[in-house]
Amino acid sequence: MKVKTMKICAIYGTERKGCTWHIAQEVLSRLPEAEVTSFFLPRDCPDSCVSCFRCFNEENRCYHSEAARNILAAMLEADVILLTSPVYALHLTGQMKTFLDHYASMWMVHKPNGEMFRKRGVVIAAASGPVYRAALREMKDSLDFWGAARTYTLGFTLMEISWDRLSPGLKQKIARRAERTAARLRRNTGGPGLKTRLLFHLTRLIHKYVWRDSADAKWWRAHGWLGRERPWKP
């Protein structure tokens, strides 16, 4: 029986191959069987959202940015979506935020893509102090509200900007957490976790009883999600 190859879409919040890139490689190196497609921001998605609202009012896709459409296609092909960002001014990088802006219409409250409910996410952030939580949360928010089944977070206080100058003890800590994350990704999750299901059912009730005539409710109804259909089921 042929085993399905795990596909990972890795999106890096900077073109610099610094500490967050190295942490991601610690995870990826423990999944040598995986097929990895990588994108670096802003190089691979230099466009900013222009607030045309066509993604909200028409089909759920970006009409402005071909780069954003190409990366979305790669994310939909993947089993795992990995997002990384160093911390800039207490938050994620501007280019990562700009990238995520293209997919606001895909949040669960609007027009979620059913394929996202079968995927898992990994978010990685590192800072020179204990201030990485906001960056992790901002990336995880998008994955959660896209409908990702589960998202694993790796945040680190490095007190250093050079990977080569990190202490052996800290690198061992990173390696241990990378190993645990890789092991989780290898396991079959058995569908979305509790948080994803709760968000789905809460949004379902809102579209069914409150925003019944909205364009978003029509999207949900067309997919059968206001009835018995669920996006994570075959």
Side-chain angles (χ1 to χ4, degrees):
M1 180 178 177
K2 186 177 180 180
V3 178
K4 180 179 179 291
T5 301
M6 181 191 298
K7 293 185 178 181
I8 300 175
C9 180
I11 302 159
Y12 299 97
T14 176
E15 294 180 44
R16 179 177 177 268
K17 292 184 177 180
C19 291
T20 52
W21 180 86
H22 280 282
I23 294 167
Q25 304 321 298
E26 289 288 318
V27 176
L28 296 176
S29 67
R30 288 164 171 78
L31 298 166
E33 71 280 10
E35 178 184 315
V36 182
T37 302
S38 299
F39 298 94
F40 291 85
L41 304 175
R43 183 190 69 196
D44 294 320
C45 190
D47 309 312
S48 296
C49 173
V50 295
S51 301
C52 68
F53 283 93
R54 290 185 65 184
C55 59
F56 286 96
N57 298 322
E58 301 178 31
E59 184 185 351
N60 186 12
R61 63 191 290 268
C62 181
Y63 289 82
H64 165 67
S65 173
E66 182 180 358
R69 293 195 298 273
N70 290 340
I71 298 179
L72 176 59
M75 291 195 292
L76 295 177
E77 281 287 317
D79 303 295
V80 176
I81 299 170
L82 184 151
L83 305 176
T84 81
S85 178
V87 173
Y88 286 9
L90 300 181
H91 295 275
L92 48 68
T93 63
Q95 49 264 34
M96 176 59 78
K97 176 63 169 65
T98 296
F99 165 75
L100 294 173
D101 284 347
H102 288 92
Y103 311 105
S105 68
M106 200 167 67
W107 275 42
M108 214 179 298
V109 71
H110 298 298
K111 297 181 175 70
N113 189 304
E115 290 296 320
M116 283 292 175
F117 291 83
R118 301 183 182 93
K119 304 185 186 307
R120 287 167 292 167
V122 178
V123 294
I124 298 172
S128 57
V131 292
Y132 53 78
R133 289 178 179 81
L136 285 177
R137 184 181 63 251
E138 289 162 350
M139 291 184 287
K140 188 175 184 294
D141 279 347
S142 282
L143 286 163
D144 286 346
F145 284 93
W146 291 345
R150 286 174 173 79
T151 298
Y152 308 112
T153 62
L154 289 89
F156 296 96
T157 298
L158 304 181
M159 305 304 291
E160 181 54 76
I161 62 172
S162 170
W163 178 260
D164 293 335
R165 293 199 294 266
L166 293 186
S167 69
L170 182 51
K171 287 185 176 180
Q172 288 175 5
K173 177 182 177 181
I174 292 169
R176 287 194 299 270
R177 291 190 59 190
E179 180 60 48
R180 287 198 297 269
T181 302
R184 288 171 175 169
L185 292 174
R186 286 196 192 94
R187 290 197 292 268
N188 187 342
T189 62
L194 179 62
K195 180 177 181 179
T196 300
R197 291 173 187 263
L198 287 174
L199 286 172
F200 176 87
H201 287 294
L202 176 60
T203 308
R204 175 181 175 274
L205 291 174
I206 292 172
H207 287 315
K208 189 171 183 177
Y209 296 110
V210 182
W211 298 336
R212 292 177 294 181
D213 298 323
S214 69
D216 296 333
K218 292 176 182 177
W219 176 271
W220 278 66
R221 190 173 293 112
H223 286 81
W225 299 335
L226 298 186
R228 296 183 178 275
E229 296 295 324
R230 297 295 178 263
W232 54 85
K233 293 182 179 180

